């Protein structure tokens, strides 16, 4: 795959990601991610401060939704960069 094909693929992926985020499933996933993060923080505030295992688990549960939404944002940002690069060719 040459550079132009790669840029086109990245641009398409970004467009598909934007459409996914607008879809009912995409909105559901983002909503669930936000809710899961909130629930993890809420549980953390009431857990035993000496329970390291629980704290580590809650940190993971709070961070995972941000990772997922970050990957989606990254796909969109890479698409913008790909579109800019394609316009320069």
């Amino acid at each position: 795959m040459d550079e132009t094909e790669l840029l086109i693929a990245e641009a398409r992926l970004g467009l598909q990601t934007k459409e996914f985020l607008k879809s009912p499933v995409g909105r559901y996933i983002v909503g669930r991610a936000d809710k899961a993060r909130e629930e993890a923080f809420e549980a953390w505030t009431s857990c035993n401060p000496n329970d390291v295992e629980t704290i580590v688990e809650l940190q993971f549960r709070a961070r995972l939704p941000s990772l997922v939404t970050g990957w989606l944002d990254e796909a969109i940002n890479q698409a913008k960069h790909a579109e800019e690069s394609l316009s320069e060719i």
Side-chain angles (χ1 to χ4, degrees), residues 68-86:
V68 172
T69 55
W71 296 330
L72 295 169
D73 289 340
E74 186 178 304
I76 293 169
N77 289 331
Q78 283 180 305
K80 289 177 187 175
H81 175 71
E83 290 170 2
E84 290 169 4
S85 296
L86 285 168

Side-chain angles (χ1 to χ4, degrees), residues 46-75:
S46 62
C47 78
N48 180 339
N50 297 316
D51 188 349
V52 175
E53 188 174 316
T54 298
I55 291 170
V56 169
E57 172 66 23
L58 291 172
Q59 285 177 330
F60 172 75
R61 286 178 34 204
R63 186 167 180 243
L64 184 60
S66 296
L67 288 172
V68 172
T69 55
W71 296 330
L72 295 169
D73 289 340
E74 186 178 304

Side-chain angles (χ1 to χ4, degrees), residues 18-63:
K18 284 181 186 180
E19 290 302 314
F20 171 74
L21 290 173
K22 292 178 187 175
S23 74
V25 173
R27 288 192 310 270
Y28 172 79
I29 295 295
V30 170
R32 283 298 301 138
D34 290 341
K35 182 77 171 153
R37 185 182 315 109
E38 289 172 16
E39 289 170 352
F41 278 116
E42 193 173 302
W44 170 75
T45 62
S46 62
C47 78
N48 180 339
N50 297 316
D51 188 349
V52 175
E53 188 174 316
T54 298
I55 291 170
V56 169
E57 172 66 23
L58 291 172
Q59 285 177 330
F60 172 75
R61 286 178 34 204
R63 186 167 180 243

